[in-house]
Amino acid sequence: LIDGRRVQSCLTLALAAQDQQISTIEGLAKGDELHPMQQAFVDQDAFQRGYCTPGQIMSAVACVKEGHANSDEDIRENMSGNICRCAAYPNIVAAVKQAAPAVSSEQKG
Amino acid sequence: MRPFAYQRATDASAALAALAATAPSNEPLSEAAIQPLAGGTTLVDLMKLDVMRPSTVIDINPLASSWSTINSEGGNLRLGALARMSDVAANPEIQHNYPVVADALKLAASPQLRNMATLGGNVLQRSAMHLFSRRQLRQL
């Protein structure tokens, strides 16, 4: 996330992101305490191989903060940029739903 | 990706002059040595694929404050070239008065790409031409 907006790191030049706030999966947990979205992914078994999981979780946090997690369909549409080759999609939708209330009540950014 | 110089534009006319100076007269603008960087969703991709080979990239995003406005005063809709697809799609005025524009934007790409991609870049991108992204094929 750059300044809270989800973007694709593979198409972003690091230089061009200078002076902007960058959030990655590494900055999500508070010490040993998992972020609600991380906890929800564990609770709902929302991954298999885990390769896509950091991107899924960051995208999910932004998806909720954008107000785009109001229904299963809403979540599916707005998480469509994150591909999961293991097709853990039903569990990812369940995880986003579980964490949505806690994430949306967080301070924005 | 080949090495390239990176510059940040601070002034639109200076950036335009720099771009115009290397614009080839008998080749597509995509062959110019200096390329503008907006959302980067096409340029960075094609540079990684070694299809586009600029020696200098001018980041025009610092100009966004004056070139990303959405204005529909007087019944004419004017969209800034640096307006992001997602920002235009989420604009209340666009949603209310030009819903087909908002709907069309939401059908393109993914939320991540719409957060990056600009309308100007969208109009100018040449990815619709499949052969363009295959340098070897173009040189046959």
Side-chain angles (χ1 to χ4, degrees), chain A:
Chain A
L1 310 183
I2 294 183
D3 287 341
R5 289 164 71 97
R6 21 181 188 158
V7 297
Q8 269 174 296
S9 57
C10 59
L11 294 175
T12 303
L13 300 177
L15 260 176
Q18 219 166 351
D19 300 326
Q20 291 172 300
Q21 192 185 330
I22 299 171
S23 319
T24 66
I25 191 75
E26 287 79 8
L28 216 49
K30 287 182 183 140
D32 288 339
E33 190 194 332
L34 290 180
H35 182 275
M37 191 62 77
Q38 291 175 309
Q39 189 59 52
F41 268 65
V42 174
D43 294 346
Q44 300 294 339
D45 196 18
F47 48 87
Q48 287 181 41
R49 198 170 47 142
Y51 188 83
C52 71
T53 310
Q56 296 281 1
I57 291 177
M58 295 310 292
S59 188
V61 169
C63 177
V64 172
K65 289 189 177 179
E66 289 164 12
H68 290 150
N70 300 314
S71 65
D72 287 13
E73 197 188 345
D74 202 16
I75 293 169
R76 281 193 203 103
E77 175 64 31
N78 286 285
M79 289 293 291
S80 61
N82 293 81
I83 309 294
C84 172
R85 278 197 64 151
C86 308
Y89 297 114
N91 302 33
I92 291 171
V93 172
V96 177
K97 258 166 75 173
Q98 178 189 316
V103 174
S104 57
S105 64
E106 273 179 3
Q107 204 69 350
K108 257 203 151 174

Side-chain angles (χ1 to χ4, degrees), chain B residues 7-8 11-12 15 22 26 28 34 36 43 57 65 69 72 75 88 90 101 104-105 107 114 124-126 130-131 140:
Chain B
Q7 294 174 6
R8 287 173 87 83
D11 173 71
T22 64
N26 54 359
I34 303 183
L43 179 64
V57 164
S65 56
T69 48
S72 63
V88 178
V101 173
L105 286 167
L107 288 173
R114 294 197 294 269
L124 292 171
Q125 78 170 159
R126 303 181 69 218
H130 181 64
L131 288 179
L140 286 178

Side-chain angles (χ1 to χ4, degrees), chain B:
Chain B
M1 191 155 46
R2 287 161 194 258
F4 61 93
Y6 171 87
Q7 294 174 6
R8 287 173 87 83
T10 49
D11 173 71
S13 43
L16 273 176
L19 290 166
T22 64
S25 53
N26 54 359
E27 279 188 311
L29 282 176
S30 53
E31 297 294 326
I34 303 183
Q35 292 290 331
L37 171 74
T41 55
T42 301
L43 179 64
V44 176
D45 186 27
L46 292 179
M47 284 170 68
K48 285 185 174 187
L49 293 170
D50 202 29
V51 170
M52 288 184 74
R53 300 165 171 175
S55 59
T56 298
V57 164
I58 301 183
D59 186 349
I60 56 173
N61 288 293
L63 308 174
S65 56
S66 39
W67 295 95
S68 61
T69 48
I70 299 165
N71 186 334
S72 63
E73 277 168 35
N76 294 318
L77 178 61
R78 293 175 70 89
L79 299 166
L82 284 178
R84 311 280 161 179
M85 293 171 77
S86 56
D87 291 336
V88 178
N91 183 283
E93 208 173 302
I94 300 284
Q95 289 189 343
H96 187 256
N97 295 326
Y98 303 91
V100 71
V101 173
D103 290 349
L105 286 167
K106 281 185 222 158
L107 288 173
S110 66
Q112 284 94 326
L113 287 170
R114 294 197 294 269
N115 274 343
M116 303 175 77
T118 62
L119 294 189
N122 209 261
V123 171
L124 292 171
Q125 78 170 159
R126 303 181 69 218
S127 61
M129 172 61 180
H130 181 64
L131 288 179
F132 177 69
S133 53
R134 310 283 290 272
R135 181 172 275 272
Q136 300 90 330
L137 285 178
R138 281 193 296 147
Q139 287 171 340
L140 286 178

